Amino acid sequence: MTEHTTTLKRTFGSFRLWGIAVGLVISGEYFGWSYGWSQAGTMGFMVVALAVAAMYCAFIFSFTELTTAIPHAGGPFAYAYRAFGPTGGFIAGFATLIEFVFAPPAIAMAIGAYLNVQFPALDPKWVACGAYVIFMTLNILGVGIAATFELIVTLLAIFELLVFMGVVAPGFSWSHFTTNGWAGADSFSGLALPGMFAAIPFAIWFFLAIEGASMAAEEAKDPQRTIPPRPGRRHSDADGAGDRRDGLRRRRRRLARAVQY
């Protein structure tokens, strides 16, 4: 009896995958920093954000390796399932489910709150519901349409961030930035640590859901080429050398066997 394997249609190129990855995290650049400053101050939050950025750099390089070796829409579930079996897969999958179930409503509420500032007559809850329905409809119509829409919105968001930076840059002063920068104090002390720890979730918000890009690997046209490797490593097809291509394939097969359940 022949076993049939269901796979998703491969439609994403590098640019769309980039739009998905950046689009998943761009909300943190709009919402996370203000809450982080209120908890840790400007300097305290900068230290926290740099530490979280270092963690996510290591995290995403590991995810890149797993994504190219196991291009599965399950993402963390697929990796944990192959490495630790059904129990590990369930834990990773359930944690990922919670993350992505709660993230869209939070972003929709933020959209409603922003529009309510500009148009006070609008109820932010109804605006959030409308935004949620629109995004859900786009995904139902097709992942290609949703990805294109997200790419356009991401480009607009980046442009708006650059405009914001350009507008405020002339008024920037390092002395003003560092004033009360350590959770209300001008210098670092142990009293700043509680605020810095409280700001960690908002620093994580800068990068939260970046792992969602790995879930699109099964829909990437060629994940081994489309998803970039870690720094210092080239894709084998980049230089056309057959021995490198074969070596890379062998390494990926070994990695897949090592984590296979």
Side-chain angles (χ1 to χ4, degrees):
M1 184 175 180
T2 304
E3 182 180 354
H4 296 281
T5 303
T6 302
T7 58
L8 300 176
K9 184 179 179 181
R10 299 187 180 276
T11 58
F12 293 153
S14 299
F15 199 36
R16 280 186 175 182
L17 278 176
W18 172 86
I20 290 174
V22 178
L24 286 168
V25 303
I26 197 72
S27 62
E29 277 63 37
Y30 277 83
F31 310 135
W33 60 272
S34 55
Y35 294 106
W37 280 2
S38 67
Q39 296 292 329
T42 52
M43 297 299 293
F45 189 56
M46 183 171 66
V47 172
V48 172
L50 289 174
V52 171
M55 180 196 74
Y56 262 93
C57 283
F59 170 78
I60 204 62
F61 293 152
S62 300
F63 245 56
T64 298
E65 295 294 322
L66 288 169
T67 301
T68 54
I70 312 172
H72 192 280
F77 160 77
Y79 313 148
Y81 180 84
R82 292 201 180 188
F84 304 108
T87 302
F90 171 78
I91 294 173
F94 189 72
T96 305
L97 176 65
I98 292 175
E99 176 185 4
F100 284 92
V101 164
F102 282 95
I107 295 173
M109 284 298 297
I111 293 173
Y114 263 81
L115 289 178
N116 178 255
V117 172
Q118 300 296 325
F119 307 99
L122 293 177
D123 188 337
K125 293 182 180 179
W126 284 110
V127 173
C129 290
Y132 195 89
V133 169
I134 291 173
F135 300 150
M136 182 176 63
T137 303
L138 287 171
N139 279 278
I140 292 174
L141 291 175
V143 67
I145 297 175
T148 301
F149 177 81
E150 184 169 2
L151 177 61
I152 295 172
V153 173
T154 298
L155 292 174
L156 290 174
I158 293 174
F159 174 74
E160 291 163 5
L161 283 174
L162 293 175
V163 170
F164 173 78
M165 293 169 61
V167 170
V168 302
F172 176 80
S173 171
W174 181 253
S175 61
H176 292 166
F177 182 79
T178 57
T179 300
N180 299 326
W182 298 97
D186 289 330
S187 60
F188 174 77
S189 67
L191 298 176
L193 292 178
M196 293 173 67
F197 277 103
I200 289 176
F202 305 112
I204 292 175
W205 200 354
F206 285 156
F207 311 96
L208 186 66
I210 187 66
E211 62 271 22
S214 69
M215 299 180 187
E218 191 173 344
E219 295 165 282
K221 293 179 180 178
D222 187 355
Q224 282 76 19
R225 289 175 57 88
T226 303
I227 300 174
R230 66 177 183 267
R233 170 177 168 182
R234 295 180 179 178
H235 283 310
S236 57
D237 289 343
D239 55 7
D243 55 341
R244 288 194 176 187
R245 179 166 55 250
D246 295 338
L248 182 57
R249 287 173 179 169
R250 286 194 296 270
R251 287 196 297 272
R252 284 184 178 138
R253 284 197 295 267
R254 286 198 298 269
L255 177 60
R257 286 196 298 268
V259 298
Q260 189 171 12
Y261 173 61

